[in-house]
Amino acid sequence: QVLLVESGGGLVKAGDSLTLYCTSSGRPINLYTMGWFRQAPGKKRDFVAAISGLGGVTNYADSVKGRFTISRDNAKNTLYLQLGSVKAEDTAVYYCASCETCGFRISPIAEEYGHWGQGTQVTVSS
Protein backbone atom coordinates (compact mmCIF):
# COMPACT_ATOMS: atom_id res chain seq x y z
CA GLN A 1 0.00 0.00 0.00
CA VAL A 2 1.13 3.54 -0.73
CA LEU A 3 0.64 6.13 2.00
CA LEU A 4 1.14 9.73 0.93
CA VAL A 5 1.53 12.77 3.15
CA GLU A 6 1.74 16.34 1.84
CA SER A 7 3.38 19.26 3.62
CA GLY A 8 4.73 22.71 2.92
CA GLY A 9 1.51 24.60 2.39
CA GLY A 10 0.81 27.95 3.96
CA LEU A 11 -0.09 31.59 3.46
CA VAL A 12 2.00 33.45 0.89
CA LYS A 13 1.75 36.73 -0.98
CA ALA A 14 1.14 37.04 -4.68
CA GLY A 15 4.42 36.75 -6.54
CA ASP A 16 6.09 34.65 -3.85
CA SER A 17 7.43 31.10 -4.11
CA LEU A 18 6.63 28.00 -2.12
CA THR A 19 7.62 24.34 -2.20
CA LEU A 20 5.23 21.51 -1.46
CA TYR A 21 6.40 18.08 -0.39
CA CYS A 22 4.81 14.68 -0.66
CA THR A 23 6.43 11.84 1.20
CA SER A 24 5.54 8.23 0.71
CA SER A 25 5.65 5.39 3.17
CA GLY A 26 4.83 1.78 2.49
CA ARG A 27 5.44 0.60 -1.05
CA PRO A 28 8.19 2.54 -2.90
CA ILE A 29 6.88 4.97 -5.48
CA ASN A 30 9.83 4.93 -7.87
CA LEU A 31 7.94 2.94 -10.50
CA TYR A 32 4.80 5.07 -10.43
CA THR A 33 3.72 8.18 -12.26
CA MET A 34 3.08 10.78 -9.56
CA GLY A 35 0.86 13.82 -9.82
CA TRP A 36 -0.23 16.99 -8.09
CA PHE A 37 -3.84 18.12 -8.18
CA ARG A 38 -5.61 21.00 -6.50
CA GLN A 39 -9.12 21.85 -5.42
CA ALA A 40 -10.41 25.31 -4.68
CA PRO A 41 -13.58 25.81 -2.61
CA GLY A 42 -16.69 24.98 -4.61
CA LYS A 43 -14.69 23.71 -7.57
CA LYS A 44 -13.70 20.30 -8.87
CA ARG A 45 -10.28 18.81 -8.37
CA ASP A 46 -7.97 19.98 -11.16
CA PHE A 47 -4.76 18.56 -12.56
CA VAL A 48 -1.63 20.59 -11.82
CA ALA A 49 1.39 18.51 -12.84
CA ALA A 50 2.62 14.95 -13.19
CA ILE A 51 5.98 13.23 -13.51
CA SER A 52 7.11 9.85 -14.77
CA GLY A 53 8.48 7.16 -12.48
CA LEU A 54 12.11 7.98 -13.19
CA GLY A 55 11.48 11.70 -13.43
CA GLY A 56 12.41 12.16 -17.04
CA VAL A 57 9.02 13.23 -18.34
CA THR A 58 6.71 15.87 -16.94
CA ASN A 59 3.32 17.31 -17.81
CA TYR A 60 1.77 20.57 -16.62
CA ALA A 61 -1.59 22.25 -16.73
CA ASP A 62 -1.52 25.32 -18.94
CA SER A 63 -2.43 27.50 -15.96
CA VAL A 64 0.83 26.67 -14.14
CA LYS A 65 3.22 26.03 -17.00
CA GLY A 66 6.36 28.13 -16.61
CA ARG A 67 5.57 28.93 -12.96
CA PHE A 68 5.45 25.54 -11.23
CA THR A 69 8.02 22.74 -11.33
CA ILE A 70 7.40 19.12 -10.38
CA SER A 71 10.29 16.89 -9.40
CA ARG A 72 10.97 13.78 -7.40
CA ASP A 73 13.71 12.09 -5.39
CA ASN A 74 13.00 8.38 -5.50
CA ALA A 75 15.79 7.61 -3.03
CA LYS A 76 13.88 9.69 -0.49
CA ASN A 77 10.44 8.56 -1.68
CA THR A 78 9.56 12.23 -2.02
CA LEU A 79 7.69 14.25 -4.61
CA TYR A 80 8.05 18.03 -4.86
CA LEU A 81 6.09 20.89 -6.36
CA GLN A 82 7.82 24.24 -6.56
CA LEU A 83 5.31 27.05 -6.90
CA GLY A 84 6.65 30.29 -8.34
CA SER A 85 5.07 33.65 -9.11
CA VAL A 86 1.96 32.52 -7.29
CA LYS A 87 -1.36 34.19 -7.97
CA ALA A 88 -4.57 34.47 -5.96
CA GLU A 89 -6.13 31.87 -8.24
CA ASP A 90 -3.54 29.34 -7.09
CA THR A 91 -5.29 29.25 -3.71
CA ALA A 92 -6.47 25.67 -3.15
CA VAL A 93 -5.88 22.46 -1.29
CA TYR A 94 -3.06 20.65 -3.07
CA TYR A 95 -3.03 16.87 -3.24
CA CYS A 96 -0.37 14.45 -4.37
CA ALA A 97 -1.34 11.13 -5.86
CA SER A 98 0.20 7.99 -7.31
CA CYS A 99 -0.86 6.24 -10.48
CA GLU A 100 -0.08 2.54 -10.28
CA THR A 101 -1.69 1.78 -13.64
CA CYS A 102 -0.25 4.62 -15.75
CA GLY A 103 2.83 2.77 -16.91
CA PHE A 104 4.79 5.27 -19.01
CA ARG A 105 1.82 7.65 -19.37
CA ILE A 106 1.84 10.99 -17.58
CA SER A 107 -1.86 11.13 -16.99
CA PRO A 108 -3.75 14.34 -16.09
CA ILE A 109 -6.88 12.33 -15.20
CA ALA A 110 -7.56 12.20 -11.47
CA GLU A 111 -9.61 9.00 -11.73
CA GLU A 112 -6.53 7.11 -12.86
CA TYR A 113 -4.68 7.84 -9.62
CA GLY A 114 -5.25 5.22 -6.97
CA HIS A 115 -3.69 6.67 -3.84
CA TRP A 116 -4.04 10.18 -2.50
CA GLY A 117 -2.66 12.22 0.35
CA GLN A 118 -4.81 14.25 2.70
CA GLY A 119 -3.89 17.56 1.07
CA THR A 120 -2.11 20.73 2.11
CA GLN A 121 -3.65 24.21 1.97
CA VAL A 122 -2.03 26.96 -0.08
CA THR A 123 -3.48 30.41 0.32
CA VAL A 124 -2.25 33.32 -1.79
CA SER A 125 -3.03 36.82 -0.64
CA SER A 126 -3.18 39.57 -3.22
Side-chain angles (χ1 to χ4, degrees):
Q1 187 176 359
V2 176
L3 300 174
L4 303 173
V5 178
E6 302 94 337
S7 62
L11 174 63
V12 294
K13 296 180 180 179
D16 282 353
S17 299
L18 188 70
T19 299
L20 304 183
Y21 305 84
C22 172
T23 56
S24 172
S25 59
R27 188 182 300 176
I29 62 171
N30 57 296
L31 296 179
Y32 302 149
T33 291
M34 298 292 295
W36 285 98
F37 294 79
R38 66 186 181 186
Q39 188 168 19
K43 296 187 177 181
K44 65 178 181 67
R45 190 169 296 188
D46 287 332
F47 170 73
V48 175
I51 187 168
S52 61
L54 296 180
V57 182
T58 57
N59 186 19
Y60 295 92
D62 288 342
S63 59
V64 306
K65 202 171 293 183
R67 298 189 299 121
F68 291 8
T69 301
I70 188 171
S71 60
R72 64 193 299 164
D73 185 337
N74 286 337
K76 296 181 179 179
N77 261 354
T78 301
L79 177 73
Y80 307 94
L81 184 68
Q82 296 174 278
L83 287 67
S85 302
V86 295
K87 306 174 182 179
E89 51 263 43
D90 294 322
T91 294
V93 177
Y94 284 72
Y95 299 89
C96 68
S98 62
C99 182
E100 293 79 8
T101 59
C102 280
F104 294 108
R105 294 180 297 110
I106 315 302
S107 175
I109 302 172
E111 289 76 11
E112 295 196 56
Y113 288 74
H115 291 92
W116 294 79
Q118 83 292 345
T120 186
Q121 175 71 47
V122 173
T123 302
V124 181
S125 63
S126 56

